[in-house]
Amino acid sequence: MAQERVVVIGAGIGGLAAAVRLAHAGFHTTVLERAQQPGGKMRAIPVGDRAIEAGPTVFTMRWVFEELFAECGAELGDRISLAPARLLARHAWSRDERLDLFADIEASADAVAAFAGRREADGYRRFCARSAEVYRTLEGPFIREGRTGPAGLAQRVGLSGLGDLWRIQPFTTLQSALGSYFRDPRLLQLFGRYATYCGASPYTAPATLMLVAHVEQAGIWTVSGGLSGLARAVADLAEERGAAFRYAAEAERILTAGGRVVGVRLADGTTVPADRVVCNADCAALGAGLFGPDAAVAGERLAPGERSLSAVTFCAEAVPSGFPLAHHTVFFSRDYRAEFDTILRDRRLPDDPTVYVCAQDRDAAGTAPQGPERLLMLVNAPADGRERPLTPSETQRCETTLIRRLEACGLTLTFASSAVTTTPRDFDALFPGTGGALYGRAAQGWATTFKRAGARTALPGLYLAGGSIHPGPGVPMAAQSGRLAAAAILEDRDSMARSRGAATRGGTSMR
């Protein structure tokens, strides 16, 4: 039998995970990437004479990558250097209000008690227990096995598991569920922030997102070389297993014949034949017809209000003073609801934004280096990069309000370089069809979770992977989507082989 040809469009982590698994399984695998390097959103950009991670910075769910590497005959620890973080993140509301959360639940509970009282610490312990229950309920059927609909999920957990599904409060918003554990508005704000990990508002996102707390407590690691280095490690392994990478190769159209995929045409007119295609692009790009009308059936068209959050990011070298930055630090706005109303209802940047800062030269313990540090600073923004891009004055004002929020918490930055800014319009240019949305469809209401497309599509031979695909956004989830796409291809190939074998077995009946 001829070696099957698979083309992977996009070298984001979902596409990379699919490519390495398929190459290892013996498929003739070609990866097409419009950028000059792998990683997609896991990217580093030059600032001065150094590179700063400008995409995801938090590495969790290590098991996804350990299993991926093991499936391909390799060890994750041999390819990248990981250091576990005892301090998960530092949080600040003012010069005098700070709270650290740790990988150890009791250490965090002690910190919560000192910050907000014993009752809130007890609520935190109950919250952690519920978070673990939510994760355990969903890991097998939803994350590992790719059950994309409520019926399939219920079927997988069985009658005995329906009570577990009900207890994880799928019909309740995250903010409402948090009220069962916390009264302090600062803690409601802190744990409500988990909705933004999926690009959503805690006031509309489902309570199931409380599982993020358990994911973080199960381990956050700092990655030597950043998450762009992790993407490079997966790409290197894929090449070792036989995958071919073509960079600066922009896929223009997914080609079909006889009702199924037959290849990909590039922007330069080159055609790459394929028996199967894995599209590691945003689902909205397919729906918008950016890969041709035949492939549009596999995508979705989202109105701006259905998109997840975008962001404005500033990457710079600076010397911080007055506040002890951790590797991950969050500076909260004074009015969280007003912040989300401004972004999602008014479709503009907030006057007082919550700011995330990743101090990339600080180790897992938060030790400060000598001299200027590499900082990624991020505020949430509406995903209107295509319809209403920010003006230069709006971007400048965003930088001003960001600095003002940091200074309100006691942090002063002395810049050693000009900041490199990325706006929703820039994100839309980097990832076409998204409007700048960083997480695909926004998690609004319980049913949104099940609206994400799965690995298989209505177009035979076309499969999907990436953060806008099931099981969801974030580095480990996007990688898992690639594993699920590869598993679907392997299953479909084996199924076709069995069908061909059955059709030729047993001779001809004359009865």
Side-chain angles (χ1 to χ4, degrees), residues 8 12-22 64 68 71 143 278-280 455 463-467 469-472 475-490:
V8 179
I13 195 62
L16 292 174
V20 67
R21 185 70 183 87
L22 293 169
V64 172
L68 173 65
E71 287 165 352
I143 297 173
V278 178
C279 187
N280 178 210
Y463 302 79
L464 305 180
I469 310 303
H470 180 85
V475 171
M477 292 292 208
Q480 183 66 4
S481 78
R483 294 178 70 201
L484 291 171
I489 289 174
L490 290 167

Side-chain angles (χ1 to χ4, degrees), residues 24 48 123 143 205 313 335 361 367 373:
H24 181 73
I143 297 173
T313 65
D335 189 335
D361 295 312
T367 305
E373 300 184 42

Side-chain angles (χ1 to χ4, degrees), residues 69 73-81 229 233-234 236-238 240-241:
F69 276 66
E75 292 284 341
L76 175 67
D78 294 340
R79 304 298 179 119
I80 60 170
S81 177
V234 180
D236 288 345
L237 180 59
E240 291 174 22
R241 296 299 183 264

Side-chain angles (χ1 to χ4, degrees), residues 1 4 6 17-29 68 71-72 276 278 455-456 463 482-498 500:
M1 185 187 301
E4 279 205 44
V6 173
V20 67
R21 185 70 183 87
L22 293 169
H24 181 73
F27 287 85
H28 183 280
T29 306
L68 173 65
E71 287 165 352
C72 301
R276 305 179 193 271
V278 178
R456 292 182 176 88
Y463 302 79
R483 294 178 70 201
L484 291 171
I489 289 174
L490 290 167
E491 183 180 332
D492 291 350
R493 180 193 64 178
D494 294 344
S495 176
M496 288 180 64
R498 288 193 298 270
R500 285 193 293 268

Side-chain angles (χ1 to χ4, degrees), residues 183-326:
R183 291 181 182 174
D184 191 300
R186 297 167 300 179
L187 296 180
L188 291 170
Q189 190 176 24
L190 190 162
F191 295 108
R193 184 175 178 272
Y194 289 146
T196 65
Y197 288 36
C198 294
S201 161
Y203 303 99
T204 57
T208 49
L209 290 182
M210 68 174 68
L211 65 82
V212 175
H214 177 74
V215 167
E216 290 190 335
Q217 285 153 1
I220 286 180
W221 288 265
T222 56
V223 182
S224 178
L227 287 178
S228 63
L230 173 62
R232 179 73 264 174
V234 180
D236 288 345
L237 180 59
E239 286 189 295
E240 291 174 22
R241 296 299 183 264
F245 283 77
R246 296 175 62 174
Y247 296 106
E250 183 172 358
E252 182 181 73
R253 190 183 185 100
I254 295 172
L255 303 174
T256 62
R260 66 170 293 113
V261 165
V262 295
V264 177
R265 187 174 70 213
L266 303 182
D268 65 5
T270 304
T271 296
V272 184
D275 300 299
R276 305 179 193 271
V277 170
V278 178
C279 187
N280 178 210
D282 196 281
C283 206
L286 282 164
L290 298 188
F291 293 98
D294 292 339
V297 67
E300 61 183 5
R301 299 186 69 89
L302 298 180
E306 296 177 293
R307 299 172 188 157
S308 66
L309 293 169
S310 186
V312 180
T313 65
F314 301 89
C315 291
E317 293 181 285
V319 177
S321 60
F323 182 98
L325 282 173

